[in-house]
Amino acid sequence: MSYNNLLLEMHGKVALVTLNRPQALNALSPELTAELSELLDHLEADDSVAALVLTGNEKAFAAGADIKVMKDWSYMDVYKADFITATWERLSTFRKPSIAAVAGYALGGGCELAMMCDFIIAADSAKFGQPEITIGTIPGAGGTQRLTRFIGKAKAMDMVLTGRMMDAQEAERCGLVSRLVPADQLIDEALKAAERIGELSAPVIMMAKESVNRAFETTLAEGIRFERRLFHSTFATEDQKEGMNAFFEKRKPVFKNR
Ligand code: HXC
């Protein structure tokens, strides 16, 4: 597999995918998002891959959708192509754990892409924003919806209506980011978190992820029922037996992913 706009490195069972259009601050061109979607299909199908870390470079995770490509599109162009659904949204349906490791700008579609990951680890240099309003449009890949669910209406309105950027400290305080680390430790920290997840039971991790995501899609009562059914399902796995037996035998569990 070789891509024009992405780099793939395997670290054990963790796929480190780097957005790689540094000359345009990793602006998310249709070619880049199509490549990412295709790569995610491969990573999801490959049993040797346990988790994904998605990153950019020191200056930018991604500065948004590619404005140069978009600027002359007509209403019919974007409507007929249903810009942006399939390729961008692929990340939000990726079933394995995904971590965004963000340094520098995560703006517009870049912030939206980071929010499609399961959680965001940010370098102290990270800057988040939904500046679409400043170029005459609005977020189009879930920004108004995910940001509002993650940080609440007041801050989401502030970000979306003014287009201002939020620094990494503010993003951590308001819950957009799960961990904040010095820039030179970003990739190590994200890989360590992903490697830890990769040591655990893959099917149970998928259930945990599905259950947390359900919190955004349903009522509390339905979500709790959904969680209970998946909790029950873990008892059908060999890994639950291994995990609980290992606890009493005072040893590290060895999960078989069954
Ligand atoms: C295309 C971009 C780009 C973008 C930067 N570049 N962002 N190209 N699309 N989104 C290009 C610049 O044109 C420039 O190319 C090079 O990257 C470096 O950028 P500079 O602006 O010179 O860098 P700097 O002065 O450091 O400013 C950084 C910045 C600024 C503050 C991040 O680049 C910026 O405001 N970018 C746009 C951010 C934005 O509006 N994003 C939302 C896009 S809309 P040259 O050739 O001149 O060197 C969106 C909608 C998503 O995301 C909806 C779903 C599809």
Side-chain angles (χ1 to χ4, degrees), residues 23-25 27 59 63-67 83-84 105 107-109 112 131-132 140:
Q23 72 285 4
L25 301 184
K59 182 139 196 229
D66 192 322
I67 303 168
F83 182 67
I84 50 78
Y105 298 111
L107 302 178
E112 291 170 309
E132 289 89 341

Side-chain angles (χ1 to χ4, degrees), residues 4-240:
N4 294 328
N5 303 278
L6 301 173
L7 301 173
L8 169 65
E9 262 176 48
M10 288 307 299
H11 291 256
K13 289 155 70 179
V14 178
L16 174 66
V17 175
T18 303
L19 305 171
N20 189 35
R21 288 189 75 206
Q23 72 285 4
L25 301 184
N26 289 336
L28 302 162
S29 62
E31 187 191 27
L32 185 155
T33 55
E35 287 183 359
L36 182 59
S37 171
E38 190 192 317
L39 176 56
L40 292 175
D41 286 343
H42 289 297
L43 298 178
E44 194 164 81
D46 184 344
D47 282 341
S48 69
V49 176
L52 163 73
V53 172
L54 182 65
T55 196
N57 56 51
E58 282 168 18
K59 182 139 196 229
F61 176 76
D66 192 322
I67 303 168
K68 213 177 275 178
V69 174
M70 275 189 302
K71 70 182 175 49
D72 295 322
W73 282 348
S74 69
Y75 170 72
M76 281 318 295
D77 291 333
V78 292
Y79 182 74
K80 270 167 52 194
D82 204 10
F83 182 67
I84 50 78
T85 52
T87 59
W88 287 65
E89 283 290 332
R90 179 65 187 86
L91 183 55
S92 65
T93 61
F94 189 63
R95 296 185 72 209
K96 296 178 179 177
S98 56
I99 301 173
V102 175
Y105 298 111
L107 302 178
C111 186
E112 291 170 309
L113 204 62
M115 289 191 291
M116 287 179 204
C117 291
D118 295 331
F119 58 96
I120 301 174
I121 299 182
D124 45 20
S125 63
K127 285 188 167 50
F128 297 87
Q130 297 290 162
E132 289 89 341
I133 203 78
T134 66
I135 55 167
T137 184
I138 69 169
T144 62
Q145 303 304 298
R146 290 197 178 92
L147 193 66
T148 307
R149 282 166 167 79
F150 295 172
I151 69 175
K153 179 186 166 188
K155 284 232 182 244
M157 279 289 190
D158 181 357
M159 304 288 292
V160 170
L161 300 191
T162 69
R164 80 169 172 92
M165 290 184 212
M166 191 184 251
D167 67 21
Q169 288 72 21
E170 184 181 2
E172 202 251 349
R173 269 199 314 277
C174 66
L176 180 58
V177 154
S178 72
R179 307 182 196 183
L180 190 54
V181 294
D184 61 356
Q185 292 167 27
L186 177 68
I187 299 300
D188 277 355
E189 182 81 8
L191 285 175
K192 238 188 281 162
E195 277 156 13
R196 174 64 187 138
I197 293 169
E199 290 168 357
L200 303 171
S201 165
V204 177
I205 286 282
M206 283 164 90
M207 288 184 209
K209 166 170 169 154
E210 201 181 350
S211 197
V212 173
N213 280 332
R214 188 54 74 102
F216 293 99
E217 306 285 352
T218 190
T219 63
L220 181 61
E222 282 305 319
I224 285 173
R225 225 187 314 276
F226 182 82
E227 176 194 80
R228 194 177 311 146
R229 291 295 172 245
L230 285 183
F231 169 69
H232 294 160
S233 307
T234 65
F235 286 74
T237 65
E238 289 182 25
D239 286 344
Q240 173 267 337

